Amino acid sequence: VQYAVGNRREALRQFTSCVGEASAHYNLGILMLRDGHEADGREHLRLALQRDPGLEQALMVLETMDEPAQQSQ
């Protein structure tokens, strides 16, 4: 709900209290990507990986996003 009304900071706080910091950043990143905020979404995915390097979902999303750029080189 907080994210939907534009309160990202509170959304992150609530996510963190429910699922932990790494998963909170992952979830917020996915929401941001869904809503077209690519730079912010990537940043939250990176933060998720910093807090939990084993969070494969975050790594997979970032790798998938980078694939088209690598293929065109």
Side-chain angles (χ1 to χ4, degrees):
V1 173
Q2 293 298 323
Y3 177 80
V5 298
N7 192 347
R8 293 178 181 177
R9 185 171 295 179
E10 182 60 20
L12 181 61
R13 190 192 69 73
Q14 289 181 3
F15 276 143
T16 300
S17 71
C18 292
V19 296
E21 197 171 3
S23 291
H25 280 290
Y26 170 78
N27 284 299
L28 193 55
I30 294 299
L31 288 172
M32 290 180 172
L33 291 174
R34 180 199 70 186
D35 292 343
H37 304 288
E38 185 174 330
D40 290 335
R42 282 178 180 268
E43 180 62 21
H44 280 281
L45 292 173
R46 287 188 200 102
L47 289 169
L49 285 170
Q50 286 177 0
R51 278 133 179 100
D52 181 0
L55 190 60
E56 292 184 24
Q57 300 97 315
L59 184 58
M60 288 174 28
V61 172
L62 287 170
E63 287 176 346
T64 300
M65 292 176 70
D66 291 338
E67 281 179 6
Q70 291 174 357
Q71 291 175 358
S72 64
Q73 293 178 358

Short mmCIF file of all heavy atoms in Angstrom, two decimals:
data_model
loop_
_atom_site.label_atom_id
_atom_site.label_comp_id
_atom_site.label_asym_id
_atom_site.label_seq_id
_atom_site.Cartn_x
_atom_site.Cartn_y
_atom_site.Cartn_z
N VAL A 1 0.83 -1.19 0.00
CA VAL A 1 0.00 0.00 0.00
C VAL A 1 0.87 1.25 0.00
O VAL A 1 0.61 2.19 -0.74
CB VAL A 1 -0.97 -0.01 1.21
CG1 VAL A 1 -1.71 1.30 1.32
CG2 VAL A 1 -1.91 -1.17 1.13
N GLN A 2 1.91 1.25 0.83
CA GLN A 2 2.76 2.44 0.90
C GLN A 2 3.44 2.73 -0.44
O GLN A 2 3.53 3.88 -0.85
CB GLN A 2 3.80 2.30 2.01
CG GLN A 2 3.22 2.29 3.39
CD GLN A 2 2.50 3.58 3.72
OE1 GLN A 2 2.91 4.67 3.34
NE2 GLN A 2 1.39 3.46 4.43
N TYR A 3 3.88 1.69 -1.11
CA TYR A 3 4.51 1.90 -2.41
C TYR A 3 3.50 2.48 -3.39
O TYR A 3 3.82 3.40 -4.15
CB TYR A 3 5.07 0.58 -2.96
CG TYR A 3 5.66 0.75 -4.34
CD1 TYR A 3 6.93 1.27 -4.49
CD2 TYR A 3 4.93 0.43 -5.48
CE1 TYR A 3 7.47 1.48 -5.75
CE2 TYR A 3 5.46 0.62 -6.74
CZ TYR A 3 6.73 1.15 -6.87
OH TYR A 3 7.25 1.35 -8.12
N ALA A 4 2.29 1.98 -3.37
CA ALA A 4 1.25 2.43 -4.31
C ALA A 4 0.93 3.90 -4.16
O ALA A 4 0.54 4.55 -5.13
CB ALA A 4 -0.01 1.59 -4.14
N VAL A 5 1.09 4.44 -2.96
CA VAL A 5 0.81 5.86 -2.75
C VAL A 5 2.07 6.72 -2.83
O VAL A 5 2.04 7.89 -2.50
CB VAL A 5 0.05 6.11 -1.42
CG1 VAL A 5 -1.29 5.43 -1.43
CG2 VAL A 5 0.89 5.70 -0.22
N GLY A 6 3.17 6.10 -3.26
CA GLY A 6 4.39 6.86 -3.49
C GLY A 6 5.33 6.98 -2.31
O GLY A 6 6.30 7.72 -2.37
N ASN A 7 5.08 6.25 -1.25
CA ASN A 7 5.93 6.33 -0.07
C ASN A 7 6.90 5.15 -0.06
O ASN A 7 6.71 4.17 0.64
CB ASN A 7 5.08 6.34 1.21
CG ASN A 7 5.88 6.71 2.43
OD1 ASN A 7 7.10 6.73 2.40
ND2 ASN A 7 5.18 7.01 3.50
N ARG A 8 7.95 5.27 -0.86
CA ARG A 8 8.91 4.17 -1.02
C ARG A 8 9.65 3.86 0.27
O ARG A 8 9.92 2.71 0.57
CB ARG A 8 9.91 4.50 -2.12
CG ARG A 8 9.28 4.57 -3.49
CD ARG A 8 10.30 4.95 -4.51
NE ARG A 8 9.70 5.03 -5.82
CZ ARG A 8 10.36 5.41 -6.89
NH1 ARG A 8 11.63 5.73 -6.80
NH2 ARG A 8 9.76 5.47 -8.05
N ARG A 9 10.02 4.88 1.01
CA ARG A 9 10.77 4.67 2.24
C ARG A 9 9.96 3.83 3.24
O ARG A 9 10.46 2.89 3.84
CB ARG A 9 11.15 6.01 2.87
CG ARG A 9 12.03 5.85 4.10
CD ARG A 9 12.57 7.16 4.54
NE ARG A 9 13.46 7.62 3.47
CZ ARG A 9 14.11 8.76 3.48
NH1 ARG A 9 13.99 9.57 4.49
NH2 ARG A 9 14.90 9.11 2.49
N GLU A 10 8.69 4.18 3.39
CA GLU A 10 7.83 3.42 4.31
C GLU A 10 7.56 2.02 3.76
O GLU A 10 7.49 1.05 4.52
CB GLU A 10 6.52 4.16 4.58
CG GLU A 10 5.60 3.47 5.55
CD GLU A 10 6.18 3.25 6.94
OE1 GLU A 10 7.16 3.94 7.32
OE2 GLU A 10 5.65 2.38 7.66
N ALA A 11 7.43 1.91 2.45
CA ALA A 11 7.24 0.58 1.85
C ALA A 11 8.45 -0.30 2.15
O ALA A 11 8.28 -1.46 2.54
CB ALA A 11 7.04 0.71 0.34
N LEU A 12 9.64 0.25 2.01
CA LEU A 12 10.85 -0.52 2.31
C LEU A 12 10.87 -0.92 3.78
O LEU A 12 11.20 -2.06 4.12
CB LEU A 12 12.09 0.27 1.95
CG LEU A 12 13.42 -0.43 2.19
CD1 LEU A 12 13.53 -1.71 1.38
CD2 LEU A 12 14.57 0.51 1.88
N ARG A 13 10.51 -0.02 4.66
CA ARG A 13 10.49 -0.32 6.10
C ARG A 13 9.52 -1.46 6.39
O ARG A 13 9.85 -2.40 7.12
CB ARG A 13 10.11 0.92 6.91
CG ARG A 13 10.30 0.73 8.42
CD ARG A 13 9.67 1.84 9.22
NE ARG A 13 8.21 1.80 9.18
CZ ARG A 13 7.46 0.90 9.81
NH1 ARG A 13 8.00 -0.06 10.52
NH2 ARG A 13 6.14 0.95 9.73
N GLN A 14 8.33 -1.39 5.79
CA GLN A 14 7.34 -2.44 6.04
C GLN A 14 7.77 -3.77 5.44
O GLN A 14 7.61 -4.82 6.06
CB GLN A 14 5.97 -2.01 5.51
CG GLN A 14 5.35 -0.92 6.35
CD GLN A 14 3.98 -0.50 5.85
OE1 GLN A 14 3.45 -1.05 4.89
NE2 GLN A 14 3.41 0.49 6.50
N PHE A 15 8.29 -3.74 4.22
CA PHE A 15 8.80 -4.97 3.61
C PHE A 15 9.88 -5.58 4.50
O PHE A 15 9.91 -6.78 4.74
CB PHE A 15 9.41 -4.70 2.23
CG PHE A 15 8.45 -4.67 1.08
CD1 PHE A 15 8.64 -3.77 0.05
CD2 PHE A 15 7.39 -5.55 1.00
CE1 PHE A 15 7.78 -3.74 -1.04
CE2 PHE A 15 6.52 -5.53 -0.09
CZ PHE A 15 6.73 -4.62 -1.10
N THR A 16 10.81 -4.73 4.97
CA THR A 16 11.92 -5.22 5.79
C THR A 16 11.42 -5.89 7.06
O THR A 16 11.92 -6.95 7.45
CB THR A 16 12.88 -4.06 6.14
OG1 THR A 16 13.39 -3.51 4.91
CG2 THR A 16 14.04 -4.54 6.99
N SER A 17 10.42 -5.30 7.69
CA SER A 17 9.90 -5.89 8.93
C SER A 17 9.22 -7.23 8.67
O SER A 17 9.17 -8.09 9.54
CB SER A 17 8.95 -4.93 9.65
OG SER A 17 7.73 -4.80 8.95
N CYS A 18 8.73 -7.43 7.46
CA CYS A 18 8.03 -8.69 7.13
C CYS A 18 8.96 -9.77 6.59
O CYS A 18 8.80 -10.94 6.95
CB CYS A 18 6.94 -8.43 6.10
SG CYS A 18 5.58 -7.44 6.71
N VAL A 19 9.89 -9.39 5.70
CA VAL A 19 10.66 -10.42 5.00
C VAL A 19 12.17 -10.28 5.13
O VAL A 19 12.91 -11.08 4.57
CB VAL A 19 10.28 -10.44 3.49
CG1 VAL A 19 8.83 -10.84 3.31
CG2 VAL A 19 10.59 -9.12 2.81
N GLY A 20 12.64 -9.26 5.83
CA GLY A 20 14.08 -9.04 5.96
C GLY A 20 14.57 -8.06 4.92
O GLY A 20 13.91 -7.77 3.92
N GLU A 21 15.77 -7.54 5.16
CA GLU A 21 16.28 -6.45 4.34
C GLU A 21 16.56 -6.82 2.89
O GLU A 21 16.18 -6.09 1.97
CB GLU A 21 17.55 -5.88 5.00
CG GLU A 21 17.91 -4.53 4.47
CD GLU A 21 19.02 -3.87 5.26
OE1 GLU A 21 19.56 -4.48 6.21
OE2 GLU A 21 19.36 -2.73 4.91
N ALA A 22 17.21 -7.95 2.66
CA ALA A 22 17.54 -8.34 1.28
C ALA A 22 16.27 -8.56 0.45
O ALA A 22 16.14 -8.03 -0.65
CB ALA A 22 18.41 -9.59 1.27
N SER A 23 15.34 -9.32 0.99
CA SER A 23 14.09 -9.57 0.25
C SER A 23 13.26 -8.31 0.09
O SER A 23 12.57 -8.15 -0.92
CB SER A 23 13.28 -10.64 0.97
OG SER A 23 13.91 -11.89 0.86
N ALA A 24 13.36 -7.41 1.05
CA ALA A 24 12.64 -6.14 0.94
C ALA A 24 13.16 -5.35 -0.25
O ALA A 24 12.38 -4.82 -1.05
CB ALA A 24 12.78 -5.33 2.23
N HIS A 25 14.48 -5.26 -0.38
CA HIS A 25 15.06 -4.54 -1.53
C HIS A 25 14.70 -5.24 -2.83
O HIS A 25 14.40 -4.58 -3.83
CB HIS A 25 16.57 -4.41 -1.37
CG HIS A 25 16.98 -3.32 -0.46
ND1 HIS A 25 16.84 -1.98 -0.76
CD2 HIS A 25 17.53 -3.36 0.78
CE1 HIS A 25 17.29 -1.25 0.24
NE2 HIS A 25 17.71 -2.07 1.20
N TYR A 26 14.73 -6.56 -2.82
CA TYR A 26 14.36 -7.31 -4.02
C TYR A 26 12.91 -6.99 -4.44
O TYR A 26 12.65 -6.65 -5.60
CB TYR A 26 14.52 -8.82 -3.79
CG TYR A 26 13.93 -9.64 -4.91
CD1 TYR A 26 14.61 -9.79 -6.11
CD2 TYR A 26 12.68 -10.24 -4.78
CE1 TYR A 26 14.06 -10.53 -7.15
CE2 TYR A 26 12.13 -10.98 -5.81
CZ TYR A 26 12.83 -11.12 -6.98
OH TYR A 26 12.28 -11.83 -8.02
N ASN A 27 12.00 -7.08 -3.50
CA ASN A 27 10.59 -6.82 -3.81
C ASN A 27 10.36 -5.39 -4.28
O ASN A 27 9.62 -5.16 -5.25
CB ASN A 27 9.71 -7.14 -2.60
CG ASN A 27 9.52 -8.62 -2.41
OD1 ASN A 27 9.00 -9.30 -3.27
ND2 ASN A 27 9.97 -9.13 -1.27
N LEU A 28 10.99 -4.44 -3.61
CA LEU A 28 10.83 -3.05 -4.02
C LEU A 28 11.43 -2.84 -5.42
O LEU A 28 10.85 -2.14 -6.26
CB LEU A 28 11.48 -2.12 -3.00
CG LEU A 28 11.14 -0.64 -3.11
CD1 LEU A 28 9.64 -0.40 -3.09
CD2 LEU A 28 11.81 0.13 -1.98
N GLY A 29 12.55 -3.48 -5.66
CA GLY A 29 13.17 -3.38 -6.99
C GLY A 29 12.26 -3.93 -8.08
O GLY A 29 12.12 -3.33 -9.15
N ILE A 30 11.63 -5.06 -7.83
CA ILE A 30 10.72 -5.65 -8.81
C ILE A 30 9.53 -4.73 -9.07
O ILE A 30 9.11 -4.52 -10.21
CB ILE A 30 10.25 -7.05 -8.34
CG1 ILE A 30 11.42 -8.03 -8.32
CG2 ILE A 30 9.10 -7.56 -9.20
CD1 ILE A 30 12.08 -8.27 -9.68
N LEU A 31 8.98 -4.16 -8.01
CA LEU A 31 7.86 -3.22 -8.19
C LEU A 31 8.29 -2.01 -9.02
O LEU A 31 7.55 -1.56 -9.91
CB LEU A 31 7.33 -2.75 -6.83
CG LEU A 31 6.54 -3.77 -6.03
CD1 LEU A 31 6.25 -3.24 -4.63
CD2 LEU A 31 5.25 -4.14 -6.75
N MET A 32 9.47 -1.50 -8.75
CA MET A 32 9.95 -0.34 -9.50
C MET A 32 10.17 -0.67 -10.97
O MET A 32 9.82 0.11 -11.86
CB MET A 32 11.22 0.21 -8.86
CG MET A 32 10.96 0.86 -7.53
SD MET A 32 12.50 1.48 -6.84
CE MET A 32 11.85 2.39 -5.45
N LEU A 33 10.74 -1.84 -11.23
CA LEU A 33 10.92 -2.25 -12.61
C LEU A 33 9.58 -2.39 -13.32
O LEU A 33 9.42 -1.94 -14.46
CB LEU A 33 11.68 -3.58 -12.68
CG LEU A 33 13.14 -3.55 -12.27
CD1 LEU A 33 13.70 -4.96 -12.24
CD2 LEU A 33 13.95 -2.65 -13.19
N ARG A 34 8.63 -2.99 -12.63
CA ARG A 34 7.28 -3.16 -13.20
C ARG A 34 6.67 -1.81 -13.58
O ARG A 34 5.98 -1.69 -14.59
CB ARG A 34 6.39 -3.86 -12.19
CG ARG A 34 4.96 -4.09 -12.67
CD ARG A 34 4.01 -4.36 -11.57
NE ARG A 34 3.82 -3.14 -10.78
CZ ARG A 34 3.14 -3.07 -9.66
NH1 ARG A 34 2.60 -4.15 -9.15
NH2 ARG A 34 2.99 -1.93 -9.02
N ASP A 35 6.97 -0.80 -12.77
CA ASP A 35 6.39 0.52 -13.00
C ASP A 35 7.25 1.42 -13.87
O ASP A 35 6.99 2.61 -14.00
CB ASP A 35 6.11 1.20 -11.66
CG ASP A 35 5.00 0.50 -10.88
OD1 ASP A 35 4.24 -0.27 -11.49
OD2 ASP A 35 4.91 0.73 -9.67
N GLY A 36 8.31 0.86 -14.48
CA GLY A 36 9.12 1.60 -15.43
C GLY A 36 10.25 2.41 -14.82
O GLY A 36 10.86 3.21 -15.52
N HIS A 37 10.57 2.19 -13.56
CA HIS A 37 11.66 2.92 -12.90
C HIS A 37 12.90 2.03 -12.90
O HIS A 37 13.31 1.50 -11.88
CB HIS A 37 11.26 3.30 -11.47
CG HIS A 37 10.00 4.08 -11.39
ND1 HIS A 37 9.92 5.40 -11.80
CD2 HIS A 37 8.76 3.73 -10.97
CE1 HIS A 37 8.68 5.83 -11.61
NE2 HIS A 37 7.96 4.83 -11.13
N GLU A 38 13.49 1.89 -14.10
CA GLU A 38 14.56 0.91 -14.27
C GLU A 38 15.78 1.19 -13.41
O GLU A 38 16.32 0.28 -12.76
CB GLU A 38 14.98 0.82 -15.74
CG GLU A 38 15.99 -0.28 -15.97
CD GLU A 38 16.34 -0.49 -17.43
OE1 GLU A 38 15.49 -0.25 -18.30
OE2 GLU A 38 17.47 -0.92 -17.67
N ALA A 39 16.26 2.42 -13.38
CA ALA A 39 17.47 2.73 -12.61
C ALA A 39 17.26 2.45 -11.12
O ALA A 39 18.11 1.83 -10.47
CB ALA A 39 17.88 4.18 -12.83
N ASP A 40 16.13 2.88 -10.59
CA ASP A 40 15.84 2.64 -9.17
C ASP A 40 15.65 1.16 -8.90
O ASP A 40 16.09 0.63 -7.88
CB ASP A 40 14.59 3.41 -8.73
CG ASP A 40 14.80 4.91 -8.69
OD1 ASP A 40 15.96 5.35 -8.53
OD2 ASP A 40 13.81 5.65 -8.81
N GLY A 41 14.99 0.47 -9.81
CA GLY A 41 14.78 -0.96 -9.65
C GLY A 41 16.09 -1.72 -9.62
O GLY A 41 16.31 -2.58 -8.77
N ARG A 42 16.98 -1.38 -10.55
CA ARG A 42 18.30 -2.02 -10.57
C ARG A 42 19.05 -1.76 -9.27
O ARG A 42 19.71 -2.66 -8.73
CB ARG A 42 19.14 -1.49 -11.73
CG ARG A 42 18.78 -2.05 -13.07
CD ARG A 42 19.67 -1.38 -14.14
NE ARG A 42 19.39 -1.85 -15.45
CZ ARG A 42 20.02 -2.87 -16.03
NH1 ARG A 42 20.96 -3.53 -15.38
NH2 ARG A 42 19.71 -3.25 -17.25
N GLU A 43 18.98 -0.54 -8.78
CA GLU A 43 19.68 -0.19 -7.54
C GLU A 43 19.18 -1.04 -6.37
O GLU A 43 19.98 -1.54 -5.58
CB GLU A 43 19.52 1.30 -7.23
CG GLU A 43 20.23 1.73 -5.96
CD GLU A 43 21.74 1.53 -5.99
OE1 GLU A 43 22.34 1.43 -7.08
OE2 GLU A 43 22.33 1.48 -4.89
N HIS A 44 17.88 -1.23 -6.27
CA HIS A 44 17.36 -2.04 -5.18
C HIS A 44 17.73 -3.52 -5.35
O HIS A 44 17.99 -4.22 -4.36
CB HIS A 44 15.85 -1.86 -5.03
CG HIS A 44 15.52 -0.62 -4.28
ND1 HIS A 44 15.59 -0.53 -2.90
CD2 HIS A 44 15.16 0.61 -4.70
CE1 HIS A 44 15.28 0.69 -2.52
NE2 HIS A 44 15.01 1.40 -3.60
N LEU A 45 17.81 -3.99 -6.58
CA LEU A 45 18.26 -5.37 -6.80
C LEU A 45 19.72 -5.51 -6.39
O LEU A 45 20.12 -6.52 -5.77
CB LEU A 45 18.06 -5.78 -8.25
CG LEU A 45 16.60 -5.91 -8.69
CD1 LEU A 45 16.52 -6.15 -10.19
CD2 LEU A 45 15.89 -7.01 -7.93
N ARG A 46 20.54 -4.51 -6.70
CA ARG A 46 21.95 -4.54 -6.28
C ARG A 46 22.07 -4.51 -4.76
O ARG A 46 22.89 -5.22 -4.17
CB ARG A 46 22.72 -3.37 -6.89
CG ARG A 46 22.99 -3.52 -8.36
CD ARG A 46 23.91 -2.42 -8.88
NE ARG A 46 23.79 -2.31 -10.30
CZ ARG A 46 23.10 -1.37 -10.95
NH1 ARG A 46 22.47 -0.43 -10.29
NH2 ARG A 46 23.05 -1.36 -12.26
N LEU A 47 21.24 -3.68 -4.12
CA LEU A 47 21.25 -3.62 -2.66
C LEU A 47 20.84 -4.97 -2.06
O LEU A 47 21.39 -5.41 -1.04
CB LEU A 47 20.34 -2.50 -2.17
CG LEU A 47 20.83 -1.09 -2.42
CD1 LEU A 47 19.73 -0.07 -2.14
CD2 LEU A 47 22.08 -0.79 -1.60
N ALA A 48 19.88 -5.62 -2.69
CA ALA A 48 19.45 -6.94 -2.22
C ALA A 48 20.63 -7.91 -2.28
O ALA A 48 20.86 -8.67 -1.33
CB ALA A 48 18.29 -7.45 -3.07
N LEU A 49 21.38 -7.87 -3.36
CA LEU A 49 22.52 -8.78 -3.50
C LEU A 49 23.65 -8.44 -2.54
O LEU A 49 24.37 -9.33 -2.08
CB LEU A 49 23.04 -8.76 -4.94
CG LEU A 49 22.16 -9.51 -5.93
CD1 LEU A 49 22.61 -9.23 -7.36
CD2 LEU A 49 22.19 -11.00 -5.64
N GLN A 50 23.82 -7.16 -2.22
CA GLN A 50 24.84 -6.79 -1.23
C GLN A 50 24.50 -7.38 0.13
O GLN A 50 25.38 -7.81 0.86
CB GLN A 50 24.94 -5.27 -1.12
CG GLN A 50 25.64 -4.61 -2.26
CD GLN A 50 25.66 -3.10 -2.14
OE1 GLN A 50 25.14 -2.52 -1.18
NE2 GLN A 50 26.26 -2.45 -3.12
N ARG A 51 23.21 -7.38 0.46
CA ARG A 51 22.79 -7.88 1.76
C ARG A 51 22.71 -9.41 1.80
O ARG A 51 22.89 -10.02 2.84
CB ARG A 51 21.46 -7.27 2.17
CG ARG A 51 21.68 -5.88 2.76
CD ARG A 51 20.72 -4.86 2.19
NE ARG A 51 20.93 -3.55 2.78
CZ ARG A 51 21.61 -2.59 2.18
NH1 ARG A 51 22.18 -2.81 1.01
NH2 ARG A 51 21.72 -1.40 2.75
N ASP A 52 22.45 -10.01 0.63
CA ASP A 52 22.40 -11.47 0.54
C ASP A 52 22.91 -11.89 -0.84
O ASP A 52 22.14 -11.99 -1.79
CB ASP A 52 20.96 -11.97 0.75
CG ASP A 52 20.86 -13.49 0.67
OD1 ASP A 52 21.89 -14.17 0.46
OD2 ASP A 52 19.74 -14.00 0.83
N PRO A 53 24.22 -12.12 -0.95
CA PRO A 53 24.80 -12.50 -2.24
C PRO A 53 24.21 -13.80 -2.81
O PRO A 53 24.34 -14.06 -4.00
CB PRO A 53 26.29 -12.68 -1.93
CG PRO A 53 26.52 -11.86 -0.71
CD PRO A 53 25.24 -11.96 0.09
N GLY A 54 23.54 -14.58 -1.98
CA GLY A 54 22.93 -15.82 -2.45
C GLY A 54 21.51 -15.66 -2.94
O GLY A 54 20.85 -16.64 -3.25
N LEU A 55 21.02 -14.43 -3.04
CA LEU A 55 19.65 -14.18 -3.48
C LEU A 55 19.60 -14.29 -5.01
O LEU A 55 19.71 -13.32 -5.75
CB LEU A 55 19.18 -12.81 -3.01
CG LEU A 55 17.69 -12.49 -3.18
CD1 LEU A 55 16.82 -13.47 -2.42
CD2 LEU A 55 17.41 -11.08 -2.71
N GLU A 56 19.44 -15.54 -5.46
CA GLU A 56 19.54 -15.83 -6.89
C GLU A 56 18.51 -15.11 -7.75
O GLU A 56 18.79 -14.77 -8.90
CB GLU A 56 19.46 -17.33 -7.11
CG GLU A 56 20.66 -18.07 -6.57
CD GLU A 56 20.62 -19.55 -6.87
OE1 GLU A 56 19.94 -19.95 -7.83
OE2 GLU A 56 21.27 -20.30 -6.13
N GLN A 57 17.32 -14.87 -7.20
CA GLN A 57 16.28 -14.20 -7.99
C GLN A 57 16.76 -12.82 -8.43
O GLN A 57 16.55 -12.42 -9.58
CB GLN A 57 14.98 -14.03 -7.19
CG GLN A 57 14.37 -15.31 -6.72
CD GLN A 57 14.75 -15.62 -5.28
OE1 GLN A 57 15.90 -15.51 -4.88
NE2 GLN A 57 13.78 -16.03 -4.49
N ALA A 58 17.40 -12.09 -7.53
CA ALA A 58 17.87 -10.74 -7.87
C ALA A 58 18.94 -10.82 -8.94
O ALA A 58 18.93 -10.04 -9.90
CB ALA A 58 18.39 -10.03 -6.62
N LEU A 59 19.85 -11.75 -8.80
CA LEU A 59 20.91 -11.92 -9.79
C LEU A 59 20.34 -12.30 -11.15
O LEU A 59 20.74 -11.75 -12.18
CB LEU A 59 21.90 -12.98 -9.31
CG LEU A 59 23.12 -13.20 -10.19
CD1 LEU A 59 23.92 -11.91 -10.35
CD2 LEU A 59 23.99 -14.30 -9.59
N MET A 60 19.37 -13.19 -11.16
CA MET A 60 18.75 -13.62 -12.42
C MET A 60 18.06 -12.45 -13.12
O MET A 60 18.16 -12.31 -14.34
CB MET A 60 17.78 -14.77 -12.17
CG MET A 60 18.49 -16.06 -11.84
SD MET A 60 17.44 -17.47 -11.36
CE MET A 60 15.91 -17.20 -12.16
N VAL A 61 17.36 -11.62 -12.37
CA VAL A 61 16.67 -10.48 -12.98
C VAL A 61 17.69 -9.52 -13.59
O VAL A 61 17.54 -9.07 -14.73
CB VAL A 61 15.77 -9.75 -11.96
CG1 VAL A 61 15.22 -8.46 -12.54
CG2 VAL A 61 14.63 -10.66 -11.51
N LEU A 62 18.74 -9.20 -12.84
CA LEU A 62 19.77 -8.29 -13.37
C LEU A 62 20.45 -8.88 -14.60
O LEU A 62 20.66 -8.17 -15.59
CB LEU A 62 20.80 -7.98 -12.29
CG LEU A 62 20.34 -7.04 -11.19
CD1 LEU A 62 21.36 -7.00 -10.06
CD2 LEU A 62 20.07 -5.65 -11.73
N GLU A 63 20.76 -10.16 -14.57
CA GLU A 63 21.39 -10.80 -15.73
C GLU A 63 20.47 -10.78 -16.93
O GLU A 63 20.90 -10.55 -18.06
CB GLU A 63 21.81 -12.22 -15.39
CG GLU A 63 23.01 -12.29 -14.48
CD GLU A 63 23.37 -13.71 -14.07
OE1 GLU A 63 22.53 -14.63 -14.27
OE2 GLU A 63 24.46 -13.90 -13.52
N THR A 64 19.19 -11.05 -16.72
CA THR A 64 18.22 -11.03 -17.81
C THR A 64 18.10 -9.64 -18.41
O THR A 64 18.02 -9.49 -19.63
CB THR A 64 16.84 -11.50 -17.30
OG1 THR A 64 16.98 -12.84 -16.79
CG2 THR A 64 15.81 -11.49 -18.41
N MET A 65 18.14 -8.63 -17.57
CA MET A 65 18.05 -7.25 -18.06
C MET A 65 19.27 -6.88 -18.89
O MET A 65 19.18 -6.09 -19.82
CB MET A 65 17.90 -6.27 -16.90
CG MET A 65 16.59 -6.40 -16.18
SD MET A 65 16.50 -5.33 -14.74
CE MET A 65 16.40 -3.73 -15.56
N ASP A 66 20.43 -7.46 -18.56
CA ASP A 66 21.66 -7.12 -19.25
C ASP A 66 21.87 -7.94 -20.52
O ASP A 66 22.69 -7.58 -21.36
CB ASP A 66 22.86 -7.31 -18.32
CG ASP A 66 22.88 -6.28 -17.21
OD1 ASP A 66 22.28 -5.21 -17.37
OD2 ASP A 66 23.51 -6.55 -16.17
N GLU A 67 21.12 -9.01 -20.72
CA GLU A 67 21.31 -9.88 -21.87
C GLU A 67 21.16 -9.16 -23.22
O GLU A 67 22.03 -9.29 -24.06
CB GLU A 67 20.37 -11.08 -21.82
CG GLU A 67 20.85 -12.15 -20.89
CD GLU A 67 19.90 -13.34 -20.83
OE1 GLU A 67 18.92 -13.38 -21.59
OE2 GLU A 67 20.15 -14.22 -20.00
N PRO A 68 20.09 -8.39 -23.45
CA PRO A 68 19.99 -7.72 -24.75
C PRO A 68 21.17 -6.80 -25.05
O PRO A 68 21.64 -6.74 -26.17
CB PRO A 68 18.69 -6.92 -24.64
CG PRO A 68 17.90 -7.64 -23.60
CD PRO A 68 18.93 -8.19 -22.64
N ALA A 69 21.67 -6.13 -24.04
CA ALA A 69 22.81 -5.22 -24.23
C ALA A 69 24.05 -6.02 -24.62
O ALA A 69 24.83 -5.61 -25.48
CB ALA A 69 23.08 -4.43 -22.96
N GLN A 70 24.24 -7.20 -24.03
CA GLN A 70 25.40 -8.03 -24.35
C GLN A 70 25.28 -8.63 -25.74
O GLN A 70 26.26 -8.76 -26.45
CB GLN A 70 25.54 -9.14 -23.31
CG GLN A 70 25.94 -8.63 -21.94
CD GLN A 70 25.94 -9.73 -20.89
OE1 GLN A 70 25.59 -10.88 -21.17
NE2 GLN A 70 26.30 -9.37 -19.68
N GLN A 71 24.09 -9.00 -26.17
CA GLN A 71 23.88 -9.62 -27.47
C GLN A 71 24.12 -8.63 -28.60
O GLN A 71 24.53 -9.02 -29.68
CB GLN A 71 22.48 -10.20 -27.57
CG GLN A 71 22.29 -11.40 -26.68
CD GLN A 71 20.86 -11.90 -26.68
OE1 GLN A 71 19.99 -11.34 -27.33
NE2 GLN A 71 20.61 -12.97 -25.94
N SER A 72 23.88 -7.35 -28.38
CA SER A 72 24.03 -6.37 -29.45
C SER A 72 25.46 -5.90 -29.60
O SER A 72 25.79 -5.17 -30.52
CB SER A 72 23.11 -5.17 -29.21
OG SER A 72 23.51 -4.48 -28.02
N GLN A 73 26.36 -6.34 -28.71
CA GLN A 73 27.76 -5.91 -28.79
C GLN A 73 28.57 -6.81 -29.66
O GLN A 73 28.36 -7.89 -29.96
CB GLN A 73 28.37 -5.85 -27.39
CG GLN A 73 27.74 -4.78 -26.57
CD GLN A 73 28.32 -4.75 -25.14
OE1 GLN A 73 29.16 -5.56 -24.77
NE2 GLN A 73 27.86 -3.81 -24.36
#
